[in-house]
Amino acid sequence: MIPYGKQLISQNDIDSVVRVLQSDFLTQGPQVPLFEKIVSAYCGSKFGVAVNSATSALHIACLALGLGEGDYLWTSPNTFVASANCGLYCGAKVDFVDIDPKTYNLSTKELEKKLIQAKQDNKLPKIVIPVHFAGQSCDMVKIYSLSKEYGFKIIEDASHAIGGKYLDRPIGSCKYSDITVFSFHPVKIITTAEGGLATTNDKELLRNMQLFRSHGVTRDPKLMTKVSEGSWYYQQIDLGFNYRMIELQAALGISQMERLDEFVALRHKRQIRYDELLKGLPITLPFQDLNSYSALHLYPIQIKTNKLRSTRKEIFEALRKNNIGVSVHYIPVHTQPYYENMGFKKGDYPNAESYYESTISIPMFQGLTIKMQDEVVNVLKKVLV
Ligand SMILES: *Cc1c(COP(=O)(O)O)cnc(C)c1O
């Protein structure tokens, strides 16, 4: 099976992890802060906070921004459930903004419309989470200017987007946001097995996220509410979690970061080739924005079923039967039973829904060889009937 996404592990990655296993620290040693420094330097942000997943990063990002009961968090319905769940973890209400049918990212037109209405209803969001779908940046200039007008904070869900750029700046610079979150799950661009990281330029957000990552416990005398009782002393000043990344993960991440640019460049080579080989078929190819250098996490095609006898489902199953490990991104979050139980229903976000009905993510990863890609194209041509 040729998967839709897969990690690429080198001997250097393996050696780095083994070296940590032989060292003094398996957790809370030098690798994690080094990894944070390397990623934030790469992105051009001041700080980084590494955690055990992007889901955890989204959670502590929301907590650091003070999200709580009575607040609203908005995100795109075309995302993994974690981008919305983080709001619920904090006791906030979650709502969605429909996508732009061309970019599949959150539509800034819809966002503006919804903000005007929310202002009248006194239900403005505290946080908006744009998701850089497939690795391509949202229109951050517009979202940032709306955030100033309507007073909300921005967390970029860049789980798909490390190594990408927006207006010539690396994604994660936080030029147009408060916090950016990355995922290092093996199907993403680089991996730490499980893992995530939040970047920010704000010292207070950094401190808050560090607290929530580790039990709400601090050893910093400046943050303590009582005088220290000795050098063993620590204080719990908030309710945090154990979301820490371990040294093995960070060592793998540091080694993977060395090849990030190479990985994204390889994905671009494959994208250009797909664009060439698939043109003229009854499918819509993913739009590539010239303001953005996509990290190309995914290559989602839309099946023009009105020009075919087969349904999307039949084409999907035929691809799988021929060992092409396709996937679908995403089932709109608001149509998940858990969200339907909160009152959302099919029909609420028609663009995300109609995109979902016709999309298939075909293989796109740094280890995809020309031979594998030709196989994908040949099978696709065969099954598009
Ligand atoms: C993968 C992903 C997440 C969750 O990442 P984990 O590291 O698995 O927690 C969140 N948002 C999006 C858009 C993702 O693709």
Side-chain angles (χ1 to χ4, degrees), residues 53-55 58 79-80 82-83 131 157 159-160 183 185 188 195 330:
S53 72
T55 305
L58 287 165
T79 186
F80 187 56
S83 322
V131 180
D157 185 342
S159 291
H160 299 181
S183 170
H185 183 280
K188 307 291 165 71
Y330 282 99

Side-chain angles (χ1 to χ4, degrees), residues 130-146:
V131 180
H132 303 317
F133 181 73
Q136 185 155 264
S137 178
C138 296
D139 181 354
M140 292 311 298
V141 168
K142 180 71 184 173
I143 296 169
Y144 183 72
S145 99
L146 289 171

Side-chain angles (χ1 to χ4, degrees), residues 111-181:
L111 176 61
E112 189 160 20
K113 252 193 348 211
K114 202 176 169 92
L115 286 165
I116 291 167
Q117 185 62 48
K119 193 172 179 185
Q120 285 172 7
D121 301 342
N122 214 3
K123 284 180 172 177
L124 281 170
K126 183 158 194 164
I127 296 176
V128 173
I129 303 189
V131 180
H132 303 317
F133 181 73
Q136 185 155 264
S137 178
C138 296
D139 181 354
M140 292 311 298
V141 168
K142 180 71 184 173
I143 296 169
Y144 183 72
S145 99
L146 289 171
S147 79
K148 294 296 157 211
E149 196 178 339
Y150 291 92
F152 58 84
K153 302 291 184 186
I154 302 172
I155 302 170
E156 297 173 67
D157 185 342
S159 291
H160 299 181
I162 196 164
K165 291 193 182 78
Y166 172 67
L167 299 178
D168 293 328
R169 265 200 191 77
I171 289 179
S173 76
C174 298
K175 162 94 175 153
Y176 304 104
S177 65
D178 297 280
I179 296 169
T180 302
V181 166

Side-chain angles (χ1 to χ4, degrees), residues 183-309:
S183 170
F184 308 124
H185 183 280
V187 295
K188 307 291 165 71
I189 312 290
I190 60 162
T191 191
T192 61
E194 293 281 359
L197 189 142
T199 59
T200 187
N201 294 319
D202 184 312
K203 210 162 191 170
E204 197 175 321
L205 291 177
L206 166 75
R207 228 170 25 214
N208 286 343
M209 288 195 285
Q210 285 172 336
L211 262 181
F212 288 118
R213 165 175 68 180
S214 196
H215 310 281
V217 159
T218 184
R219 288 177 184 276
D220 181 353
K222 291 197 292 291
L223 297 178
M224 291 187 184
T225 56
K226 296 189 282 189
V227 278
S228 172
E229 295 169 10
S231 54
W232 68 86
Y233 191 66
Y234 59 83
Q235 272 189 5
Q236 185 188 345
I237 55 172
D238 216 320
L239 183 62
F241 304 86
N242 182 351
Y243 283 169
R244 293 189 302 259
M245 176 177 273
I246 65 170
E247 291 286 282
L248 303 164
Q249 292 169 306
L252 178 53
I254 291 165
S255 178
Q256 287 262 300
M257 276 301 286
E258 285 177 24
R259 297 179 73 192
L260 173 57
D261 288 341
E262 181 197 332
F263 285 176
V264 175
L266 256 156
R267 288 167 183 266
H268 274 264
K269 277 194 185 157
R270 294 298 170 265
Q271 172 249 318
I272 290 164
R273 217 161 163 266
Y274 268 144
D275 284 357
E276 198 48 46
L277 293 169
L278 298 177
K279 101 185 143 194
L281 293 176
I283 55 179
T284 305
L285 303 180
F287 167 77
Q288 304 300 334
D289 185 352
L290 295 178
N291 284 326
S292 165
Y293 178 72
S294 175
L296 283 166
H297 167 50
L298 300 171
Y299 193 91
I301 58 171
Q302 279 186 282
I303 310 294
K304 294 180 180 168
T305 38
N306 57 340
K307 294 193 177 158
L308 296 165
R309 272 186 287 114

Side-chain angles (χ1 to χ4, degrees), residues 51-63 67 73-90 92-96 127-131 155-160 181-185 188 194-196 243 329-334 336 338-339:
V51 285
N52 56 2
S53 72
T55 305
S56 302
L58 287 165
H59 187 190
I60 60 170
C62 288
L63 288 171
L67 190 75
L73 176 146
W74 293 1
T75 189
S76 167
N78 183 34
T79 186
F80 187 56
V81 291
S83 322
N85 288 346
C86 55
L88 302 181
Y89 295 157
C90 301
K93 292 201 172 88
V94 167
D95 208 348
F96 301 95
I127 296 176
V128 173
I129 303 189
V131 180
I155 302 170
E156 297 173 67
D157 185 342
S159 291
H160 299 181
V181 166
F182 297 120
S183 170
F184 308 124
H185 183 280
K188 307 291 165 71
E194 293 281 359
Y243 283 169
H329 299 90
Y330 282 99
I331 305 164
V333 179
H334 68 284
Q336 293 290 351
Y338 192 80
Y339 281 84

